[in-house]
Amino acid sequence: MALEVIVLAAGQGTRMRSKRPKVLHEIGGRPMLSHVLETARALAPTRLHAVVGAGAEEIRARYASTPDVSWVEQEEQLGSGHAVLQAMPGISDEATVLVLYADVPLVGAATLEACVAASGERGGVALVTADTPTPDGLGRIVRDADGGVAAIVEDRDATDGQRAITEVNTGILAAPATLLGRLLGEVGNDNAQGEYYLTDIVGGAVAAGIPVTGLATDDPGEMLGVNDRVQLAEAERRYQRRNAEAAMRAGVTLRDPARFDLRGTLRAGEDCVIDVGVVLEGRVELGADVRVGAHCVVRDSVLADGVTVEPHTVIDGARIDRGAAVGPFARLRPGTELGEDTRIGNFVETKKARLGAGTKASHLAYLGDAFVGERCNVGAGTITCNYDGVDKHETRIGDEVFVGTNATLVAPLDVEDGAYIGAGSTITTRVAAEHLAVGRARQRNIKGWKPPAKRKR
Ligand code: UD1
Ligand code: CA
């Protein structure tokens, strides 16, 4: 059986009070629309349609490199039923149609599968409902005396009695294409908002004796619709709770799952410990026994077994080998590669820098475009001057080099194995192996020097 999915994303999103189209607002660092498209793909539909209207250009630009979506323009936002109707010409008569709302981002594939299956079994309309203590603003499910679904009544059109109903419409619905097209054709706009409601097809189906199945989800997060930023934050927290639980089940200790944020993917070995306020972005891979201290940001990086990251460290695009220790207050920028048992301490910044095993830069340094060998010591205040205002240049340091504090290393520069650089030096030319380089003014001690006398008034 062919399945086609329609994702509705044309609404104004007025309640967000935003310049941005609502469906581009993010959950876990990705637009809500991306979450819904990804879940839809899990059902392997023959076609995936997205109806866009408000902010259509911005949305299509964002998904320019997403070839599997066929975009449908809804020029005027005349309601969710009207939106589905715009997509119908592109849908095969034999297909079962699944309608998703881009502003209901956390629905799961299993729920969708059950909905599609229920429509298939009875050849009618299937919809997903949820029971909630806070049904305000949502469509209510009106059941008949036998417990069958009789209609969906929108909040604004509901009587007081209907408003007391706690079973609500999630927005997810499946039906055979021809039936859906026919029912939509009968929907009018005589309601509080003057819109063509998709939800009115339920009343139409019931009147025509077509089976309507209401499936209740038990996960309240799945039905969460995002209309404003309060609901966006609620959806974010629910999403992060899921991420946190998945990480804990996979063997990661989270000091507080409520203060854990994954905006991408995490792979972690056994017995990692992540402290509070850590934000993981992009693709993050942790080996076993990795410890990440409080309030760190780790983005697109690989940390091998036993790496320790102290609090308030930012790691972006780095590879860190076994046993290395980083932070607190360190910043590793893209292209950083730290060898085994290296040590990067507070207020050290690295960029496109490779440090060999056992090398230490324990405090206050900038290492950019720098290749440092093994077992070196980089003193506090060391700066690689990699930029001449036009081009970037490299600093290459051999093994077992000692760089004294406050050294200024003007690139391009080679410092060979075993060299020793005196504190406070400005080094501009090659330092040969085992040599001591001192590049600073000599100290003069002046005897009999008189401090300035205090002026008389
Ligand atoms: C809708 C449902 C309501 C349900 C709730 C669940 C209708 C009439 N009501 O209400 O029963 O409980 O979702 O969250 O569907 N859209 C378009 N074009 C339009 C209008 C809307 O594409 O002209 C899209 C929106 O982008 C959104 C979806 O349809 O993805 C729902 O529209 P919205 O205005 O958010 O409806 P709700 O009031 O939330
Ligand atoms: Ca909505």
Side-chain angles (χ1 to χ4, degrees):
M1 175 204 58
L3 172 69
E4 301 201 32
V5 176
I6 305 176
V7 179
L8 299 188
Q12 292 283 356
T14 320
R15 290 164 279 182
M16 293 299 282
R17 295 180 179 276
S18 174
K19 293 183 287 300
R20 237 183 178 186
K22 174 164 77 176
V23 297
L24 293 186
H25 281 264
E26 293 176 349
I27 288 174
R30 283 187 311 151
M32 287 196 274
L33 179 55
S34 297
H35 288 267
V36 176
L37 292 175
E38 187 183 297
T39 311
R41 284 186 192 111
L43 276 73
T46 52
R47 260 181 305 211
L48 185 50
H49 310 260
V51 183
V52 289
E57 267 178 37
E58 201 178 330
I59 296 170
R60 293 189 59 168
R62 169 66 179 70
Y63 291 92
S65 54
T66 307
D68 65 339
V69 177
S70 51
W71 301 95
V72 179
E73 198 104 3
Q74 183 193 22
E75 278 167 18
E76 265 187 289
Q77 280 68 64
L78 301 180
S80 51
H82 179 259
V84 173
L85 212 46
Q86 307 311 300
M88 292 311 289
I91 286 176
S92 138
D93 282 350
E94 284 73 50
T96 294
V97 179
L98 174 67
V99 180
L100 304 178
Y101 289 1
D103 69 349
V104 182
L106 301 185
V107 66
T111 303
L112 302 185
E113 270 159 15
C115 184
V116 172
S119 161
E121 274 160 30
R122 301 183 61 195
V125 179
L127 51 106
V128 181
T129 73
D131 209 49
T132 170
T134 52
D136 294 353
L138 296 167
R140 306 296 203 284
I141 305 295
V142 180
R143 298 238 177 209
D144 60 26
D146 304 327
V149 176
I152 301 177
V153 181
E154 290 304 306
D155 188 74
R156 296 207 225 181
D157 304 297
T159 61
D160 285 346
Q162 288 167 332
R163 280 207 184 92
I165 297 172
T166 56
E167 189 184 7
V168 296
N169 174 32
T170 63
I172 288 130
L173 164 161
T178 44
L179 172 65
L180 182 61
R182 199 174 82 222
L183 292 171
L184 282 170
E186 292 162 10
V187 168
N189 65 349
D190 180 18
N191 52 52
Q193 302 192 78
E195 285 188 1
Y196 296 89
Y197 292 159
L198 171 61
T199 46
D200 280 353
I201 68 163
V202 170
V206 170
I210 293 158
V212 177
T213 314
L215 297 159
T217 51
D218 43 18
D219 177 351
E222 283 206 59
M223 53 136 283
L224 206 102
V226 175
N227 297 313
D228 60 28
R229 295 186 201 235
V230 175
Q231 290 166 331
L232 182 69
E234 204 178 322
E236 177 75 32
R237 274 303 107 208
R238 284 193 183 275
Y239 177 73
Q240 293 302 351
R241 180 73 207 185
R242 281 188 199 171
N243 287 335
E245 281 176 14
M248 292 187 289
R249 296 228 155 81
V252 178
T253 293
L254 298 181
R255 291 290 183 221
D256 181 0
R259 284 179 286 172
F260 172 72
D261 286 84
L262 176 59
R263 299 177 194 153
T265 57
L266 169 65
R267 262 184 39 200
E270 279 183 342
D271 295 312
C272 291
V273 179
I274 298 181
D275 212 328
V276 301
V278 170
V279 178
L280 305 178
E281 298 182 340
R283 286 169 64 140
V284 175
E285 282 181 40
L286 309 179
D289 303 301
V290 172
R291 304 178 76 88
V292 183
H295 305 292
C296 291
V297 177
V298 183
R299 182 182 306 125
D300 293 321
S301 293
V302 180
L303 281 59
D305 297 353
V307 167
T308 305
V309 182
E310 300 291 349
H312 298 283
T313 292
V314 178
I315 299 176
D316 184 5
R319 300 184 69 88
I320 307 179
D321 217 333
R322 291 160 162 272
V326 181
F329 299 101
R331 180 177 182 205
L332 308 185
R333 291 168 53 199
T336 295
E337 291 180 30
L338 303 182
E340 255 183 71
D341 299 320
T342 45
R343 165 98 189 92
I344 293 288
N346 45 235
F347 307 108
V348 173
E349 176 181 347
T350 62
K351 186 222 79 173
K352 218 169 146 204
R354 195 166 63 228
L355 273 59
T359 285
K360 294 181 178 147
S362 299
H363 359 246
L364 300 155
Y366 172 63
L367 300 171
D369 302 287
F371 302 94
V372 185
E374 299 184 353
R375 298 176 304 284
C376 293
N377 187 80
V378 177
T382 295
I383 304 287
T384 53
C385 307
N386 58 331
Y387 187 51
D388 59 14
V390 179
D391 295 311
K392 296 277 167 68
H393 303 280
E394 290 178 356
T395 301
R396 288 172 295 271
I397 297 176
D399 294 335
E400 296 184 344
V401 169
F402 185 95
V403 182
T405 56
N406 216 31
T408 298
L409 306 176
V410 181
L413 181 68
D414 283 283
V415 180
E416 296 178 353
D417 293 352
Y420 198 107
I421 292 173
S425 291
T426 297
I427 303 295
T428 56
T429 55
R430 184 179 78 96
V431 182
E434 312 292 337
H435 280 57
L436 164 66
V438 185
R440 62 179 185 229
R442 252 179 203 290
Q443 179 175 334
R444 287 194 299 151
N445 291 347
I446 297 167
K447 195 179 169 196
W449 174 79
K450 296 255 177 343
K454 275 198 182 142
R455 281 207 191 92
K456 283 182 186 137
R457 287 171 183 266

